[in-house]
Amino acid sequence: MRRITWGIVMLSLVGAAAQAADLPSPPSPALVYSAPPVIAYFTWTGCYLGGNVGGAWASRDWNDQIPGDPLFGTDLGSYNTSGALGGAQAGCNYQIGNWVVGLQGDYAWSNASGSNSSGVFATLAPLVTLTDQSRLQSLASVTGRVGYSWDRLLGYVKAGGAWEQSSFSLLVGGSTATTASETRGGWTVGLGGEYAFLDWLTGFVEYDYYRFGTATNTFSCATCGLFAATAPFNIATSINVIKFGLNLKFGPGTRF
């Protein structure tokens, strides 16, 4: 009897196992696709507006062009004028790979001034001590820029046209006798580095060299005791500038 009972139990287990084998397998959990994380890269493409401060050093070289002067053509000596500089700049950049090309305009005010006293006129009768003074009033340029970027760091060079505005004074015997002013064109080259602290804020340091060649400035001075009612001088000018500034960036990738 026991053998029969165990046989029935075994047959029941075998049958249950067979039925379980015939049942469909539970569905596998659905795969959920996750997009790769988006990495935000900084781009220099866009436009900017900002301000700068720095220092200017202008080299002046005066040459006597007074009609009838025995010292006509004499170099009265070179000297440097120095002072502060501050202004604004605006421009646009376009990035291609790591390379960045752009166009920029800037304008700055300055108080760079200096003077030089010449003793060459002390040998003439009447005795004359001539002092020439120069003051740089403003400086402007429109330049193209080419740079290479390492993500948020940009190194660049620039070149283009430049303009300067200066005032001049002649002191004869220690007293101001006459003045003149000019606006002159020239060229500039420079280099700098810029870093993006935020997507919309960058800072830079830059060195620029300006060359304005030689121009004649004529002073009206009938009572100067020189040799003519007008006193023309050739004045050669070159300027070195170091400046620091901040820019607000607008365009692609800018998040305020």
Side-chain angles (χ1 to χ4, degrees):
M1 190 67 179
R2 278 182 195 171
R3 291 181 181 177
I4 294 173
T5 302
W6 279 106
I8 294 172
V9 172
M10 293 300 295
L11 289 174
S12 298
L13 292 174
V14 171
Q19 289 179 353
D22 292 336
L23 292 175
S25 300
S28 301
L31 296 177
V32 178
Y33 173 76
S34 298
V38 177
I39 301 176
Y41 292 98
F42 180 80
T43 177
W44 289 94
T45 297
C47 295
Y48 57 89
L49 174 67
N52 65 79
V53 295
W57 295 263
S59 175
R60 309 285 191 175
D61 189 354
W62 290 53
N63 185 280
D64 181 4
Q65 298 292 301
I66 301 174
D69 186 351
L71 297 176
F72 181 91
T74 299
D75 190 342
L76 302 183
S78 299
Y79 63 97
N80 292 321
T81 63
S82 60
L85 175 143
Q89 68 281 335
C92 292
N93 292 319
Y94 185 74
Q95 184 167 349
I96 307 170
N98 290 91
W99 292 96
V100 178
V101 295
L103 183 67
Q104 176 177 292
D106 59 69
Y107 186 90
W109 297 266
S110 178
N111 65 355
S113 60
S115 64
N116 178 62
S117 294
S118 175
V120 295
F121 291 90
T123 61
L124 305 177
L127 298 180
V128 175
T129 300
L130 181 68
T131 300
D132 50 271
Q133 295 180 335
S134 305
R135 181 179 182 272
L136 176 64
Q137 296 176 307
S138 63
L139 195 59
S141 69
V142 175
T143 55
R145 304 200 315 169
V146 178
Y148 191 87
S149 66
W150 295 267
D151 192 25
R152 291 179 175 268
L153 177 63
L154 174 67
Y156 60 87
V157 295
K158 57 184 288 189
W163 298 265
E164 64 92 18
Q165 189 174 36
S166 295
S167 61
F168 305 104
S169 300
L170 278 179
L171 283 70
V172 179
S175 300
T176 300
T178 183
T179 61
S181 61
E182 69 169 11
T183 298
R184 193 189 310 186
W187 54 267
T188 180
V189 294
L191 56 88
E194 190 168 1
Y195 186 80
F197 302 106
L198 302 170
D199 292 339
W200 52 272
L201 179 65
T202 69
F204 68 90
V205 57
E206 182 176 295
Y207 165 77
D208 299 311
Y209 174 77
Y210 297 81
R211 181 69 179 175
F212 295 100
T214 301
T216 301
N217 286 266
T218 300
F219 299 82
S220 298
C221 191
T223 60
C224 290
L226 297 177
F227 295 92
T230 59
F233 291 87
N234 285 347
I235 304 175
T237 300
S238 60
I239 302 173
N240 294 274
V241 169
I242 295 178
K243 56 187 175 183
F244 308 84
L246 294 173
N247 286 319
L248 297 177
K249 179 180 176 294
F250 309 91
T254 302
R255 295 184 296 275
F256 293 94

